[in-house]
mmCIF file of all heavy atoms in Angstrom:
data_model
loop_
_atom_site.group_PDB
_atom_site.id
_atom_site.type_symbol
_atom_site.label_atom_id
_atom_site.label_comp_id
_atom_site.label_asym_id
_atom_site.label_seq_id
_atom_site.Cartn_x
_atom_site.Cartn_y
_atom_site.Cartn_z
ATOM 1 N N THR A 287 2.816 6.433 -5.352
ATOM 2 C CA THR A 287 2.481 6.633 -6.762
ATOM 3 C C THR A 287 1.367 7.660 -6.910
ATOM 4 O O THR A 287 1.394 8.511 -7.804
ATOM 5 C CB THR A 287 2.051 5.303 -7.410
ATOM 6 O OG1 THR A 287 3.103 4.355 -7.273
ATOM 7 C CG2 THR A 287 1.759 5.489 -8.899
ATOM 8 N N LEU A 288 0.370 7.599 -6.024
ATOM 9 C CA LEU A 288 -0.688 8.609 -6.005
ATOM 10 C C LEU A 288 -0.101 9.992 -5.767
ATOM 11 O O LEU A 288 -0.480 10.967 -6.428
ATOM 12 C CB LEU A 288 -1.683 8.307 -4.884
ATOM 13 C CG LEU A 288 -2.949 7.515 -5.172
ATOM 14 C CD1 LEU A 288 -3.829 7.529 -3.931
ATOM 15 C CD2 LEU A 288 -3.713 8.049 -6.372
ATOM 16 N N ARG A 289 0.822 10.081 -4.830
ATOM 17 C CA ARG A 289 1.423 11.360 -4.482
ATOM 18 C C ARG A 289 2.148 11.960 -5.693
ATOM 19 O O ARG A 289 2.091 13.176 -5.925
ATOM 20 C CB ARG A 289 2.394 11.180 -3.310
ATOM 21 C CG ARG A 289 2.783 12.486 -2.629
ATOM 22 C CD ARG A 289 3.794 12.222 -1.503
ATOM 23 N NE ARG A 289 3.327 11.216 -0.564
ATOM 24 C CZ ARG A 289 2.485 11.440 0.425
ATOM 25 N NH1 ARG A 289 1.991 12.643 0.600
ATOM 26 N NH2 ARG A 289 2.131 10.463 1.247
ATOM 27 N N ARG A 290 2.805 11.116 -6.450
ATOM 28 C CA ARG A 290 3.508 11.610 -7.638
ATOM 29 C C ARG A 290 2.529 11.969 -8.754
ATOM 30 O O ARG A 290 2.768 12.905 -9.514
ATOM 31 C CB ARG A 290 4.502 10.564 -8.141
ATOM 32 C CG ARG A 290 5.714 10.372 -7.239
ATOM 33 C CD ARG A 290 6.824 9.636 -7.962
ATOM 34 N NE ARG A 290 6.383 8.343 -8.452
ATOM 35 C CZ ARG A 290 6.473 7.204 -7.774
ATOM 36 N NH1 ARG A 290 6.983 7.223 -6.546
ATOM 37 N NH2 ARG A 290 6.057 6.069 -8.279
ATOM 38 N N ALA A 291 1.435 11.230 -8.846
ATOM 39 C CA ALA A 291 0.450 11.489 -9.898
ATOM 40 C C ALA A 291 -0.257 12.818 -9.679
ATOM 41 O O ALA A 291 -0.627 13.506 -10.640
ATOM 42 C CB ALA A 291 -0.562 10.352 -9.963
ATOM 43 N N ARG A 292 -0.517 13.167 -8.420
ATOM 44 C CA ARG A 292 -1.129 14.430 -8.014
ATOM 45 C C ARG A 292 -2.612 14.556 -8.368
ATOM 46 O O ARG A 292 -3.429 14.959 -7.569
ATOM 47 C CB ARG A 292 -0.378 15.642 -8.607
ATOM 48 C CG ARG A 292 1.099 15.649 -8.364
ATOM 49 C CD ARG A 292 1.428 15.845 -6.906
ATOM 50 N NE ARG A 292 1.441 17.265 -6.526
ATOM 51 C CZ ARG A 292 1.505 17.689 -5.274
ATOM 52 N NH1 ARG A 292 1.528 16.808 -4.284
ATOM 53 N NH2 ARG A 292 1.528 18.975 -4.986
ATOM 54 N N ILE A 293 -2.952 14.216 -9.601
ATOM 55 C CA ILE A 293 -4.327 14.313 -10.084
ATOM 56 C C ILE A 293 -4.836 12.932 -10.472
ATOM 57 O O ILE A 293 -4.151 12.194 -11.191
ATOM 58 C CB ILE A 293 -4.433 15.243 -11.318
ATOM 59 C CG1 ILE A 293 -3.929 16.646 -10.983
ATOM 60 C CG2 ILE A 293 -5.868 15.276 -11.849
ATOM 61 C CD1 ILE A 293 -4.767 17.391 -9.961
ATOM 62 N N GLY A 315 -3.479 14.379 -22.137
ATOM 63 C CA GLY A 315 -3.090 15.502 -21.298
ATOM 64 C C GLY A 315 -2.030 15.158 -20.267
ATOM 65 O O GLY A 315 -1.558 16.041 -19.547
ATOM 66 N N GLY A 316 -1.669 13.890 -20.157
ATOM 67 C CA GLY A 316 -0.589 13.498 -19.265
ATOM 68 C C GLY A 316 -1.005 13.063 -17.879
ATOM 69 O O GLY A 316 -0.163 12.919 -16.987
ATOM 70 N N VAL A 317 -2.304 12.819 -17.667
ATOM 71 C CA VAL A 317 -2.768 12.343 -16.362
ATOM 72 C C VAL A 317 -2.306 10.899 -16.171
ATOM 73 O O VAL A 317 -2.474 10.065 -17.070
ATOM 74 C CB VAL A 317 -4.302 12.433 -16.254
ATOM 75 C CG1 VAL A 317 -4.769 11.938 -14.891
ATOM 76 C CG2 VAL A 317 -4.764 13.867 -16.484
ATOM 77 N N ARG A 318 -1.763 10.601 -15.006
ATOM 78 C CA ARG A 318 -1.145 9.293 -14.783
ATOM 79 C C ARG A 318 -1.858 8.442 -13.736
ATOM 80 O O ARG A 318 -1.353 7.412 -13.304
ATOM 81 C CB ARG A 318 0.334 9.460 -14.428
ATOM 82 C CG ARG A 318 1.115 10.167 -15.535
ATOM 83 C CD ARG A 318 2.585 10.247 -15.243
ATOM 84 N NE ARG A 318 3.228 8.947 -15.205
ATOM 85 C CZ ARG A 318 3.573 8.232 -16.277
ATOM 86 N NH1 ARG A 318 3.321 8.692 -17.493
ATOM 87 N NH2 ARG A 318 4.174 7.062 -16.133
ATOM 88 N N ALA A 319 -3.061 8.881 -13.339
ATOM 89 C CA ALA A 319 -3.903 8.076 -12.447
ATOM 90 C C ALA A 319 -5.330 8.170 -12.964
ATOM 91 O O ALA A 319 -5.910 9.257 -13.015
ATOM 92 C CB ALA A 319 -3.810 8.560 -11.011
ATOM 93 N N LEU A 453 -4.133 20.310 -2.817
ATOM 94 C CA LEU A 453 -2.857 19.629 -2.628
ATOM 95 C C LEU A 453 -2.028 20.347 -1.558
ATOM 96 O O LEU A 453 -1.407 19.710 -0.709
ATOM 97 C CB LEU A 453 -2.098 19.564 -3.958
ATOM 98 C CG LEU A 453 -2.725 18.641 -5.008
ATOM 99 C CD1 LEU A 453 -2.114 18.912 -6.381
ATOM 100 C CD2 LEU A 453 -2.525 17.172 -4.625
ATOM 101 N N ILE A 474 -5.048 20.695 -19.746
ATOM 102 C CA ILE A 474 -4.755 19.586 -18.836
ATOM 103 C C ILE A 474 -3.246 19.434 -18.660
ATOM 104 O O ILE A 474 -2.754 19.239 -17.545
ATOM 105 C CB ILE A 474 -5.386 18.278 -19.347
ATOM 106 C CG1 ILE A 474 -6.909 18.410 -19.401
ATOM 107 C CG2 ILE A 474 -4.991 17.101 -18.451
ATOM 108 C CD1 ILE A 474 -7.614 17.217 -20.027
ATOM 109 N N ARG A 475 -2.519 19.553 -19.743
ATOM 110 C CA ARG A 475 -1.055 19.468 -19.652
ATOM 111 C C ARG A 475 -0.503 20.573 -18.757
ATOM 112 O O ARG A 475 0.394 20.340 -17.944
ATOM 113 C CB ARG A 475 -0.445 19.560 -21.048
ATOM 114 C CG ARG A 475 -0.653 18.311 -21.895
ATOM 115 C CD ARG A 475 -0.104 18.530 -23.289
ATOM 116 N NE ARG A 475 -0.261 17.325 -24.109
ATOM 117 C CZ ARG A 475 -0.209 17.323 -25.445
ATOM 118 N NH1 ARG A 475 -0.016 18.465 -26.098
ATOM 119 N NH2 ARG A 475 -0.357 16.197 -26.109
ATOM 120 N N ASP A 476 -1.038 21.766 -18.925
ATOM 121 C CA ASP A 476 -0.583 22.892 -18.093
ATOM 122 C C ASP A 476 -0.873 22.619 -16.620
ATOM 123 O O ASP A 476 -0.071 22.921 -15.738
ATOM 124 C CB ASP A 476 -1.282 24.178 -18.517
ATOM 125 C CG ASP A 476 -0.784 24.714 -19.857
ATOM 126 O OD1 ASP A 476 0.287 24.253 -20.310
ATOM 127 O OD2 ASP A 476 -1.473 25.569 -20.449
ATOM 128 N N LEU A 477 -2.061 22.058 -16.352
ATOM 129 C CA LEU A 477 -2.426 21.727 -14.975
ATOM 130 C C LEU A 477 -1.455 20.725 -14.387
ATOM 131 O O LEU A 477 -0.974 20.910 -13.252
ATOM 132 C CB LEU A 477 -3.853 21.169 -14.931
ATOM 133 C CG LEU A 477 -4.301 20.568 -13.591
ATOM 134 C CD1 LEU A 477 -4.347 21.644 -12.510
ATOM 135 C CD2 LEU A 477 -5.650 19.883 -13.746
ATOM 136 N N MET A 478 -1.174 19.673 -15.117
ATOM 137 C CA MET A 478 -0.287 18.642 -14.601
ATOM 138 C C MET A 478 1.103 19.210 -14.297
ATOM 139 O O MET A 478 1.722 18.863 -13.290
ATOM 140 C CB MET A 478 -0.188 17.485 -15.606
ATOM 141 C CG MET A 478 -1.516 16.806 -15.917
ATOM 142 S SD MET A 478 -2.410 16.250 -14.435
ATOM 143 C CE MET A 478 -1.320 14.931 -13.889
ATOM 144 N N GLN A 479 1.559 20.100 -15.142
ATOM 145 C CA GLN A 479 2.866 20.718 -14.904
ATOM 146 C C GLN A 479 2.815 21.646 -13.692
ATOM 147 O O GLN A 479 3.730 21.660 -12.873
ATOM 148 C CB GLN A 479 3.298 21.505 -16.140
ATOM 149 C CG GLN A 479 4.672 22.131 -16.007
ATOM 150 C CD GLN A 479 5.130 22.804 -17.292
ATOM 151 O OE1 GLN A 479 4.365 22.919 -18.254
ATOM 152 N NE2 GLN A 479 6.375 23.240 -17.322
ATOM 153 N N SER A 480 1.712 22.391 -13.556
ATOM 154 C CA SER A 480 1.620 23.371 -12.483
ATOM 155 C C SER A 480 1.565 22.728 -11.101
ATOM 156 O O SER A 480 2.001 23.330 -10.119
ATOM 157 C CB SER A 480 0.389 24.268 -12.685
ATOM 158 O OG SER A 480 -0.822 23.544 -12.478
ATOM 159 N N VAL A 481 1.005 21.513 -10.999
ATOM 160 C CA VAL A 481 0.922 20.847 -9.697
ATOM 161 C C VAL A 481 2.103 19.926 -9.437
ATOM 162 O O VAL A 481 2.154 19.239 -8.422
ATOM 163 C CB VAL A 481 -0.406 20.067 -9.552
ATOM 164 C CG1 VAL A 481 -1.605 20.997 -9.647
ATOM 165 C CG2 VAL A 481 -0.513 18.943 -10.584
ATOM 166 N N GLY A 482 3.038 19.898 -10.365
ATOM 167 C CA GLY A 482 4.238 19.107 -10.146
ATOM 168 C C GLY A 482 4.043 17.617 -10.304
ATOM 169 O O GLY A 482 4.704 16.822 -9.623
ATOM 170 N N ALA A 483 3.146 17.211 -11.176
ATOM 171 C CA ALA A 483 2.884 15.781 -11.382
ATOM 172 C C ALA A 483 4.158 15.087 -11.871
ATOM 173 O O ALA A 483 4.874 15.602 -12.726
ATOM 174 C CB ALA A 483 1.758 15.588 -12.391
ATOM 175 N N GLY A 484 4.410 13.923 -11.303
ATOM 176 C CA GLY A 484 5.556 13.138 -11.708
ATOM 177 C C GLY A 484 6.825 13.441 -10.948
ATOM 178 O O GLY A 484 7.836 12.746 -11.090
ATOM 179 N N VAL A 485 6.809 14.509 -10.130
ATOM 180 C CA VAL A 485 8.011 14.899 -9.395
ATOM 181 C C VAL A 485 8.152 14.058 -8.126
ATOM 182 O O VAL A 485 7.170 13.844 -7.434
ATOM 183 C CB VAL A 485 7.943 16.400 -9.024
ATOM 184 C CG1 VAL A 485 9.146 16.766 -8.188
ATOM 185 C CG2 VAL A 485 7.862 17.238 -10.280
#
Side-chain angles (χ1 to χ4, degrees):
T287 302
L288 265 188
R289 196 182 307 279
R290 289 196 302 269
R292 308 292 276 170
I293 301 294
V317 180
R318 300 184 65 78
L453 291 166
I474 298 174
R475 288 176 178 161
D476 288 345
L477 171 64
M478 300 307 292
Q479 183 175 7
S480 69
V481 299
V485 176

